[in-house]
């Protein structure tokens, strides 16, 4: 049964799904939906996901959107996925749902609020919004602290005190990687104080090597482009 | 094994969990955490949920927070819960995850943004914010349209084209019930145009009777109090 992933590698949940499939040897076709070109607004894509968002998947005759739901589905439907990604144990599974739900209203909201309004908006021809970026950064920094003091329990490398990664590690780390598109000094200011989180990001990269870096290779050139755009905008407004 | 629900009936996800347990004959102890009295900031409650939010549960020695994760856990851990609430079938389950994830960023965000800034803020001694309320209402109305045109497929009474309710119906309907605390004219303006959604709300009430009304009985007196507070504030600012 054919699996198609409708994704844009610029989108952090799209990257999480791509990395998850590659790390687990799940065969798929990558269908590129370029957000900056508004391809998610095409009538063809509305047939796949009426919400007009990536990622979305089609598996045989089954369509699904919402990235957490997709990760859970893939981990459940493909028998080659090892248990640690989404454990069968009801309580372990409940903790994964808990961190993914927490992510929605905290890390994700903070991260998107910050990086979109500080940088990425320019790629969509939208203005930057320093006030919204500052609010996003506040929630993002608080979320990073919660990850370090609560979700990364004890001295185990992964979330929820696990020795091996789950779908939650990949989802959350891909979110944080979005900051790579911002200014180096800002990146250092926000992530620098979070040594424990930085180690966890590295551990997740290593656990999904070489796919993590392969899928994130899209970011450095985009970062350079955004840097130029930002310079241009600041000169225009100076 | 004892189940304790840490809830405030003023909180819509707290009500969803109470109704779900009662409708399924799951025995529990209700531990009231009054948000308006800041009881969620007590050191005792931080032991239950370090995020200081309701609802949270303790089941034997297992602690859990985030309402969607709790509903899934209860439906999975208690064998008396019928399959339709959270089907074992991987694809049906995936669709429930999808609607619950969608809910986070759409209906819930819109509903909370509207009713908190239009009314409930007063109960917490916070000022109303008409601009934020208007933004919330816009997302809320769009979400109600999406529920009618997409999530309520075909002529079946419940979400996802189901003949019987799932945890998603209870979660989303309890969210909408929060609007009962607002002004009658505003309620009519927002919900009036959504006949299909109103029928679904009724169907969900009936499917969980008499517990739905029993748990929501807290709202009318609070509504009256908020009405008085609003009148007082508008006189002061006049």
């Amino acid at each position: 049964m054919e699996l198609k992933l409708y994704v844009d590698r610029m989108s952090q949940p799209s990257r999480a799904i791509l990395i998850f499939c590659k790390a687990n040897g799940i065969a798929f076709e990558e269908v590129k939906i370029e957000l900056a070109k508004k391809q998610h607004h095409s009538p063809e894509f509305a047939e796949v996901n009426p919400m007009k968002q990536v990622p979305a998947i089609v598996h045989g005759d089954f369509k699904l959107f919402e990235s957490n739901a997709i990760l859970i589905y893939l981990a459940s439907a493909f028998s080659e996925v090892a248990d640690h990604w989404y454990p069968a144990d009801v309580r372990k599974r409940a903790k994964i749902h808990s961190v993914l739900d927490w992510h929605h209203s905290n890390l994700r909201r903070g991260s998107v609020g910050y990086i979109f309004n500080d940088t990425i908006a320019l790629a969509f021809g939208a203005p930057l919004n320093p006030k919204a970026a500052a609010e996003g950064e506040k929630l993002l920094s608080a979320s990073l602290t919660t990850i370090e003091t609560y979700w990364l329990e004890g001295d185990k490398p992964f979330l929820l005190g696990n020795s091996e990664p789950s779908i939650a590690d990949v989802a959350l780390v891909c979110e944080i990687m979005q900051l790579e598109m911002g200014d180096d000094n800002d990146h250092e200011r926000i992530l620098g104080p979070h040594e424990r989180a930085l180690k966890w990001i590295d551990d997740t990269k290593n656990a999904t090597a070489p796919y993590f870096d392969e899928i994130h290779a899209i970011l450095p050139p985009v970062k350079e482009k955004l840097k130029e755009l930002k310079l241009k905008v600041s000169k225009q407004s100076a």
Side-chain angles (χ1 to χ4, degrees), chain A residues 95 98 144-154 159-161:
Chain A
K95 289 289 190 180
S98 180
L144 288 167
T145 299
T146 302
I147 286 172
E148 293 192 318
T149 56
Y150 180 73
W151 295 113
L152 287 166
E153 298 167 22
L159 296 171
L160 305 168

Side-chain angles (χ1 to χ4, degrees), chain A residues 4-221:
Chain A
K4 287 186 182 186
L5 308 183
Y6 294 79
V7 290
D8 182 338
R9 291 185 183 202
M10 291 282 292
S11 125
Q12 56 279 47
S14 291
R15 293 197 301 271
I17 286 163
L18 288 164
I19 292 166
F20 177 79
C21 284
K22 287 189 172 237
N24 284 286
I26 297 172
F28 63 87
E29 180 192 340
E30 179 177 352
V31 184
K32 291 185 182 174
I33 302 293
E34 287 191 56
L35 299 175
K37 291 186 185 164
K38 297 201 164 64
Q39 292 177 346
H40 53 309
H41 289 292
S42 76
E44 294 77 29
F45 185 60
E47 291 290 312
V48 173
N49 180 4
M51 304 302 160
K52 302 175 182 174
Q53 289 175 326
V54 292
I57 69 167
V58 178
H59 186 207
D61 60 356
F62 181 67
K63 296 172 185 175
L64 189 66
F65 57 86
E66 285 292 339
S67 60
N68 293 346
I70 292 171
L71 286 169
I72 291 173
Y73 172 75
L74 294 172
S76 307
F78 288 84
S79 57
E80 56 265 48
V81 177
D83 187 70
H84 64 82
W85 289 104
Y86 183 61
D89 177 84
V90 169
R91 290 186 170 188
K92 288 185 180 167
R93 189 167 275 200
K95 289 289 190 180
I96 290 182
H97 298 151
S98 180
V99 67
L100 288 174
D101 283 327
W102 171 85
H103 175 44
H104 266 294
S105 320
N106 292 279
L107 177 66
R108 179 162 178 77
R109 197 184 286 190
S111 164
V112 169
Y114 164 68
I115 196 71
F116 184 85
N117 290 297
D118 180 76
T119 302
I120 296 177
L122 296 175
F124 292 88
L128 299 182
N129 183 336
K131 190 170 167 270
E135 278 168 21
E137 183 178 335
K138 204 175 150 190
L139 180 54
L140 166 61
S141 293
S143 301
L144 288 167
T145 299
T146 302
I147 286 172
E148 293 192 318
T149 56
Y150 180 73
W151 295 113
L152 287 166
E153 298 167 22
D155 56 0
K156 293 292 169 59
F158 299 107
L159 296 171
L160 305 168
N162 290 332
S163 305
E164 292 180 284
S166 75
I167 53 172
D169 294 282
V170 177
L172 272 66
V173 167
C174 284
E175 185 66 53
I176 297 171
M177 288 301 288
Q178 208 70 343
L179 302 184
E180 298 282 323
M181 280 188 275
D183 177 85
D184 284 338
N185 291 331
D186 295 342
H187 190 271
E188 174 59 25
R189 182 186 73 247
I190 296 172
L191 281 173
H194 297 285
E195 273 182 42
R196 179 72 188 85
L198 288 168
K199 186 184 175 302
W200 160 64
I201 293 169
D202 260 352
D203 287 334
T204 304
K205 278 186 196 186
N206 293 334
T208 56
Y211 310 110
F212 193 96
D213 284 340
E214 177 193 324
I215 299 296
H216 281 92
I218 196 171
L219 297 187

